[in-house]
Amino acid sequence: MKNLVRKLNAEAKEIKLGGGKKEIEKLHSKKKLHCRERVDLLIDEGSYFMEIGLFTAYGMYKEFGGAPSSGTIFGIGKIHGRDSVIVANDATVKAGAWFPITCKKNLRAQEIAIENRLPIIYLVDSAGVFLPLQEDIFPDKEHFGRIFRNNAVMSSMGIPQIAAIMGPCVAGGAYLPIMSDEALIVEGTGSVFLAGSHLVKAAIGENVDNESLGGATVHSEISGVTDYKMQSDEECLKTIRNLVSKFGHTEKAGFDRIETKAPQYDEKEIYGIIPLDRAKPYDMYEVLARITDGSEIDEYKAGYGKSLITAYARIDGWSVGIVANQRTIAKTAKGEMQVGGVIYSDSADKGARFIMNCNQKKIPLLFLQDVTGFMVGSRAEHGGIIKDGAKMVNAVANSVVPKITIIIGNSYGAGNYAMCGKAYDPRFIFAYPTASIAVMGGAQASNVLLNIKVGQLKKQGKAELTEEEQNKMLSEIKEKYEAHADPLHAASRLWVDGIIDPAETRKVVSYSIECANNNADIPKFNPGVIQV
């Protein structure tokens, strides 16, 4: 586990350089700061910045030279003590151009701001849409235009939006800062216009330079498009901090928090508990003992449905309801054996009831996933596993308290859904370096796909594969399948918000609940049709 964390940290260090040191030096020569330097100056000194989507676009767009972190960074940090979403274009990556996944990442930033009622700060420095991929970013519902639609919706919801134009802001991208509530522009580097000087010349024959067309002086003194003209990046960021410092304070959700208490065991001991072999069992109670306050839990239905742990606990003082897959083999009261990581009928029933209890009591939910799916076979089917599984999925789908999901190991099939996967609107979803997200495990999937291939050849009357050919094909299928189940593959596509160091679980969970506590508007829980 330590080696996995070290490798991830090395990848992260490289990604944080964006287009590289030389490109950052070019920015500095233009008296501009790199996006990460801007964020560091914006947030409170020494405070925590929970970055979301660091590994976005990892391994993608290779034909275009790649797009580290999708050319945009975003996360949540404190500005004068106020939790704020911060989005910053990385001008060292294709001049801050938007790839399709960049759009998805920006939409995720706005979603987090909306769900948690957090102010959002845009640090704009972008050449606009990456034209070679325009069809994948421009016209659809979840494409570029949705960003501006969300700008309008957030303003109507009273969520403050401040945009700083710290570089070029072109064409459709010009709407993002101007649809924000307040806009700042840096003189000499910031510009905003629907069409640049070259396009203006081509379209209407007018000769004009970009500064005269849409620079800081034009928009601050002539058009009135921007609200503040700044002399430098540093002054701009200081002004944003001043503006945020004067925001009124909003009502909190009221999730219970008391004085924090450290676990009895070192959080880093999680490294030695979770095996790299995802098929091996381990005791999830040992993991809980490293992340809960005082290593204490109040377990709900401890002797029933033992393949799922449901418990009330505190993490960094916050009250939480924990739903976690148990990975050891357990014996039920009836003497039946329950394989670890599988959700049985009794486990699903227990999980659904516990989730409803947490909604009734206004307790945030923490899902710790290491699930291979629901139990299969005639005995499980006759016992109504589909009905009980649907009951748990229903409870998760209709839950109104904040849900935080951490994928520790396996996350397969419908087990991903029942344990609050991405499709079930977790406020935040993270993965450990040991996570694996797929319809089923690599070994099972490769055998299924091989059998299908052998059957196809047989139907076509072709010669059967030799054992050596079958083993080679099996190995190739498994290798490709497991690469797609890797947490970096998931993080690159924003199926998870990030891959976290297990030793930082408490910090990440605590800050996630703190952010969620900013939204006092919690609807009444209505579970729908759940057969009890």
Side-chain angles (χ1 to χ4, degrees), residues 48-69:
Y48 174 49
F49 179 66
M50 187 167 78
E51 185 166 357
I52 305 292
L54 171 63
F55 293 103
T56 308
Y58 182 87
M60 298 171 67
Y61 309 121
K62 291 179 180 178
E63 66 274 34
F64 302 109
S69 213

Side-chain angles (χ1 to χ4, degrees), residues 199-213:
L199 184 53
V200 168
K201 172 68 174 175
I204 63 174
E206 181 184 358
N207 287 307
V208 62
D209 62 82
N210 284 338
E211 189 67 24
S212 302
L213 182 66

Side-chain angles (χ1 to χ4, degrees), residues 218-229:
V218 168
H219 286 310
S220 298
E221 300 177 14
I222 300 173
S223 72
V225 165
T226 56
D227 307 305
Y228 307 90
K229 184 169 75 169

